[in-house]
Amino acid sequence: MAAGVSTATVSRAVRGIPGVSAATRERVLKIVERLGYVPSSSASGLASGRTMTMGVVVPMIDRWYFATALGGADRALRAAGYDLMVFNLGGAGGNRERVFHRSMLRKRIDALLVMCMSLTEEELVSLRALDSPSIVVGSNLEGVRHVSIDDPVAVKDAVEHLIGLGHRDIAHLQGTGEYGFDFSVPLLRNEAFEATMQAHGLPVRPEWTALGNFRAADGKAAAARLLDDPGNRPTAIFASSDEMAFGVMMAAAERGIRIPEELSVVGIDDHELSEPAGLTTIRQRPDEQGAFAAGLLLAELAGAARVQPGIQPHELVVRKSTAPPPSPVTT
Amino acid sequence: MAAGVSTATVSRAVRGIPGVSAATRERVLKIVERLGYVPSSSASGLASGRTMTMGVVVPMIDRWYFATALGGADRALRAAGYDLMVFNLGGAGGNRERVFHRSMLRKRIDALLVMCMSLTEEELVSLRALDSPSIVVGSNLEGVRHVSIDDPVAVKDAVEHLIGLGHRDIAHLQGTGEYGFDFSVPLLRNEAFEATMQAHGLPVRPEWTALGNFRAADGKAAAARLLDDPGNRPTAIFASSDEMAFGVMMAAAERGIRIPEELSVVGIDDHELSEPAGLTTIRQRPDEQGAFAAGLLLAELAGAARVQPGIQPHELVVRKSTAPPPSPVTT
DNA sequence: TTGAAAGCGCTAACAG
DNA sequence: CTGTTAGCGCTTTCAA
C-alpha cells in the first residue's frame, strides 16, 4: 500500500479495530484521507457478511405516517453508520411479491424494518426464514415483534373525550386498507370504536359509519354523506386518521357547518397540519417509533439480546375542533 | 452445483443472459426456486462492479415534495430491478458531510439522484468526482443536470392569474431554505414574483412579504401578520408552496376572513390536500419528476447517451380559493 | 503490533 | 452451449 503497510493494517486502522499502534493508525488515516479512499461496501460485505445496511419495507412511501417513521429510522441508522435501503411496495403495482421473495431476502441487508401492514402467511414465513432480525412498526401483527401505540386505548381516549363533552351522536370515519395492503390498524380501530361506544351504552349507527382510506379527499367525500343527512346529523365525528379528519373539516366548511360549535371532530395521529388546523387529536410519534425500532435492531446486530418492545405512548391533544354538542332543538 | 451444472451456468441462467439452452435454464431456475437461492448482492457487486442500487439524497424525507418524488423514483427503479438507497440529510443534524464524503461516495451505488437542494462547491466536486451518473431533481442547479419545472414561469402563471382577476394588492409568502440547506428554489420564486409584479406595474411592498419555510404552521404565522394589519390588507396572497397556502387559509378562517370573497390565495405544488381544500394552485408532479430522472439515469447505466432533460410541465389549476377582489370601500 | 495468505460468492473472459 | 479459471477488494485467521 501507499503507506507501506499491509491491507490488513489499513483495514484495521480504518475500522478502528484494536491491534494497531496509535502512530500507525494516524499515518494510515492521513493517507486514506488524502487519497479519498473509501472502502468498497461490496467487498467488505462479501468478506465480513455484514452489509451495514438496514432494509425498510413501506406500503407507500409518500404517506405521512410512513415518511415520518422512515425519517426517524433513518436518524437512528445514520448515527450508527448504517445505510437505509427502502423497499416501497408502492400502492397497487405488484412488486410486493418481488420484494419479499427476492432482492431483499438475503445478503443485501443486515436487518429489516416492516412498516405497518399485515403480511400474508407466506410473507411471514419469508420473514422468519430471514436470518436477519426484523421488527414491525406501527401495527400489531401477531407472531411478529412490533413497535406501536396501543390502538384500542388510543381510540378509546379519543371517543371518550367526545363522550365526556356530552356527545352521544358520534359517527366514525373508518380507515380501510387500500390496494389490498390490509393494514391491520383500521380493523383494530373499528373494533375499539364500537367497544367504547357500547361500554358507554351508546349506539353505533350503521348510517354513521363511513369509509375512507386514510386520505383527506376520501374523508371529505365520506363526511359529505354524513353531513348531508339533515335532521339526522351526528354532533361529533371520530376519524381514524387526522388526514380524514381534515376532510371532515373541509366538508363542514363548505357547508357552513361551524366547528366546534355545530360539529366536533377528533382524529388520530397529530399530523403536521393538525396543530395549525386546530384539530383535536390523539398524538403519536411515528418518527420516534421508527427510531426506536431501528435502535432495537441495531442493538441486536451489535450483539444485544432480543427484546420485546413495549407499547409506544400516545396522548390526547385538545385543540379547537371539539366542544360540547349544540343544545338540542327538540327535547 | 446441485443441478449438476457449473456456477457460471447458474449465473447465466439466473440473470437471463443468452448462452444457455432453454432446457438447462429451466432446470436451473427450477432448482433455484426450490432451494430458495438468492444471489449475494455483495458478491455480484464486487465481481461485476454494478450494485444494482441507486442512491437518492434528500434534504428531508418527510416533506411532501421529497416523499412524493422518492415514490416516483422508486417506481422506476423497481421496474428495472434496482434497489433504492436513501440518504436523508435529515434537517439540522450534520450528517450532510458524511453522506457526501464517505459512505455513498463509491462502490455503494451505481447512480445518484440529488433532490432539490443547493450544494456547496466542495459537494459539487464530490459529485463530479463520482464516476456514477447523477442528476438533480426539483431544482435548477447550475453546472449540474436537473429535472424540474420552470419555476419563474410557474410563479408568473400564478401571479398573473391573480392579476387577471383584478388583484393589485398581492402579498408574497416566501419560502426560505431551512436548516441551512439553501434550496435554490425559494430564491428563484422570489425573483420571479417581483419580476412579474413589476412587469405589470404593480408594487412589491416590503410589508407584504412574509417568510415561511414551506410549512403550514409557518405559513399561518406569517399570514397572521399580513392579515392583522387592518386597512392595509392585501386582497390576494401568493404562497410559494401549497403547505404555506394552507397556513394562509387557516389564518383567514380563524379571523373570519372569507376565501375567496375577501381574500384570494394561490399556491404552488398541488399538494394532496389542495384538491379537497379547494386551493387554486400551480400543479407540478414530483412523482413524475422523480420517475423521469431515475429513468434517465437507468438508461445511462444501460448504455444510453447522456441526455439533457427538458423542463417538466406545470399547470394552473383553478379551484375555489381565488376570485376577483372585493369592491373597494373607497375609490 | 504487523504481514501473509486464504477465502467470501460471484462474474467474466477464455477454452472446450 | 457449457465448464474452467481468475480475480473483484475486502476481512480474517494464523504466523512472525
Side-chain angles (χ1 to χ4, degrees):
Chain A
M1 303 295 291
V5 293
S6 72
T7 63
T9 304
V10 172
S11 176
R12 285 187 278 250
V14 169
R15 292 184 301 156
I17 282 178
V20 190
S21 72
T24 308
R25 162 156 299 140
E26 196 173 336
R27 190 157 48 86
V28 170
L29 257 24
K30 199 156 293 176
I31 295 178
V32 158
E33 176 69 21
R34 183 160 55 73
L35 266 43
Y37 166 85
V38 179
S40 151
S41 59
S42 294
S44 68
L46 179 55
S48 71
R50 277 172 277 106
T51 62
M52 295 301 279
T53 297
M54 189 175 294
V56 181
V57 183
V58 292
M60 290 158 289
I61 199 176
D62 56 353
R63 312 278 338 132
W64 175 82
Y65 181 90
F66 303 120
T68 306
L70 214 43
D74 179 87
R75 177 156 40 87
L77 294 177
R78 291 286 155 215
Y82 269 71
D83 282 323
L84 205 211
M85 185 154 273
V86 175
F87 301 91
N88 181 23
L89 267 20
N95 57 2
R96 174 170 185 144
E97 186 222 344
R98 193 153 51 107
V99 165
F100 271 94
H101 194 52
R102 289 188 56 114
S103 60
M104 87 185 186
L105 228 46
R106 266 190 233 284
K107 305 291 185 182
R108 170 124 266 189
I109 55 177
D110 292 343
L112 183 68
L113 228 50
V114 177
M115 295 273 183
C116 194
M117 44 189 219
S118 64
L119 304 168
T120 65
E121 195 50 50
E122 192 185 358
E123 287 164 348
L124 282 173
V125 171
S126 299
L127 206 59
R128 295 207 196 83
L130 212 59
D131 46 349
S132 335
S134 64
I135 197 166
V136 170
V137 178
S139 159
N140 25 23
L141 239 41
E142 59 176 294
V144 189
R145 272 194 306 173
H146 60 264
V147 168
S148 70
I149 59 170
D150 189 331
D151 271 291
V153 176
V155 170
K156 179 167 167 288
D157 289 351
V159 177
E160 290 191 339
H161 167 63
L162 258 15
I163 294 173
L165 251 17
H167 290 277
R168 296 182 53 82
D169 300 333
I170 304 174
H172 181 199
L173 192 42
Q174 299 183 178
T176 59
E178 70 179 318
Y179 302 128
F181 279 107
D182 275 333
F183 301 88
S184 61
V185 170
L187 291 77
L188 226 66
R189 294 188 180 168
N190 296 350
E191 286 169 14
F193 174 77
E194 294 181 15
T196 305
M197 292 293 277
Q198 277 165 19
H200 288 266
L202 263 23
V204 175
R205 299 218 223 158
E207 71 271 27
W208 283 355
T209 300
L211 260 52
N213 60 8
F214 287 108
R215 303 180 116 96
D218 293 273
K220 185 182 173 190
R225 291 202 313 282
L226 258 25
L227 300 180
D228 281 340
D229 194 352
N232 188 28
R233 189 207 285 169
T235 61
I237 298 182
F238 162 62
S240 272
S241 81
D242 277 8
E243 292 184 77
M244 292 195 293
F246 297 148
V248 174
M249 296 173 98
M250 291 164 179
E254 283 187 2
R255 286 162 182 74
I257 298 171
R258 285 169 302 144
I259 291 176
E261 293 83 358
E262 299 176 80
L263 180 72
S264 284
V265 183
V266 61
I268 288 190
D269 273 347
D270 200 27
H271 186 282
E272 179 187 349
L273 291 177
S274 301
E275 188 277 317
L279 177 67
T280 293
T281 190
I282 300 290
R283 171 182 297 159
Q284 69 167 325
R285 296 291 304 270
D287 53 336
E288 297 194 348
Q289 292 167 27
F292 179 73
L296 229 53
L297 256 22
L298 250 13
E300 274 167 47
L301 290 173
R306 190 187 148 96
V307 303
Q308 203 62 36
I311 288 297
Q312 297 293 300
H314 70 261
E315 162 191 16
L316 174 69
V317 180
V318 178
R319 287 196 271 245
K320 295 186 291 193
S321 68
T322 49
S327 315
V329 181
T330 62
T331 299
Chain B
M1 303 295 291
V5 292
S6 73
T7 64
T9 304
V10 172
S11 177
R12 286 188 278 253
V14 169
R15 292 185 299 157
I17 282 178
V20 190
S21 74
T24 308
R25 162 158 297 142
E26 196 171 339
R27 192 157 46 86
V28 170
L29 257 26
K30 199 156 292 176
I31 295 177
V32 158
E33 175 70 22
R34 183 158 55 74
L35 266 41
Y37 166 84
V38 178
S40 151
S41 59
S42 294
S44 68
L46 181 55
S48 70
R50 278 172 277 103
T51 62
M52 296 302 280
T53 298
M54 189 174 295
V56 182
V57 183
V58 292
M60 289 159 289
I61 199 176
D62 56 352
R63 312 279 335 134
W64 175 82
Y65 181 89
F66 302 120
T68 308
L70 214 43
D74 179 87
R75 178 156 41 86
L77 293 177
R78 291 288 154 215
Y82 270 72
D83 281 324
L84 205 211
M85 185 154 273
V86 175
F87 300 91
N88 181 24
L89 267 19
N95 58 0
R96 173 170 185 146
E97 186 220 347
R98 192 153 51 107
V99 164
F100 272 92
H101 193 55
R102 290 188 57 115
S103 59
M104 87 186 186
L105 228 46
R106 268 190 231 286
K107 306 293 187 181
R108 169 125 266 189
I109 55 177
D110 292 343
L112 183 67
L113 228 50
V114 177
M115 295 275 183
C116 195
M117 43 188 221
S118 64
L119 303 169
T120 65
E121 195 51 49
E122 192 186 359
E123 286 165 349
L124 282 173
V125 170
S126 299
L127 205 59
R128 297 207 195 84
L130 213 61
D131 46 349
S132 335
S134 65
I135 197 166
V136 170
V137 179
S139 162
N140 23 25
L141 240 40
E142 59 176 295
V144 189
R145 275 194 303 174
H146 59 263
V147 169
S148 70
I149 59 170
D150 189 330
D151 270 292
V153 176
V155 170
K156 179 168 168 287
D157 289 352
V159 178
E160 290 191 339
H161 167 61
L162 257 15
I163 294 174
L165 250 19
H167 291 276
R168 297 183 52 81
D169 301 334
I170 306 173
H172 182 199
L173 192 41
Q174 297 183 182
T176 60
E178 70 179 319
Y179 302 129
F181 279 108
D182 274 332
F183 300 89
S184 61
V185 169
L187 291 75
L188 227 67
R189 293 188 181 168
N190 296 350
E191 286 169 14
F193 174 76
E194 295 181 14
T196 305
M197 291 294 277
Q198 277 165 19
H200 287 266
L202 263 24
V204 176
R205 299 218 223 157
E207 72 271 27
W208 283 356
T209 299
L211 259 53
N213 61 6
F214 289 109
R215 304 180 115 98
D218 292 274
K220 187 182 172 189
R225 290 202 314 281
L226 258 24
L227 300 179
D228 281 341
D229 193 352
N232 188 28
R233 189 206 285 166
T235 61
I237 297 181
F238 162 61
S240 273
S241 81
D242 276 8
E243 291 183 78
M244 291 194 293
F246 297 149
V248 174
M249 296 173 97
M250 291 164 180
E254 283 188 2
R255 286 161 181 73
I257 298 172
R258 284 169 302 143
I259 291 176
E261 294 82 357
E262 300 176 79
L263 180 72
S264 284
V265 183
V266 61
I268 289 192
D269 273 347
D270 201 26
H271 185 283
E272 178 187 351
L273 291 177
S274 301
E275 189 276 316
L279 177 66
T280 294
T281 191
I282 300 290
R283 171 182 296 160
Q284 69 166 327
R285 296 291 304 270
D287 53 335
E288 298 194 347
Q289 292 166 27
F292 179 73
L296 229 53
L297 255 21
L298 251 13
E300 274 166 48
L301 289 173
R306 190 186 147 94
V307 302
Q308 203 62 36
I311 288 296
Q312 297 293 301
H314 70 260
E315 162 191 16
L316 173 70
V317 180
V318 178
R319 288 196 271 243
K320 294 185 292 192
S321 67
T322 49
S327 315
V329 181
T330 61
T331 299

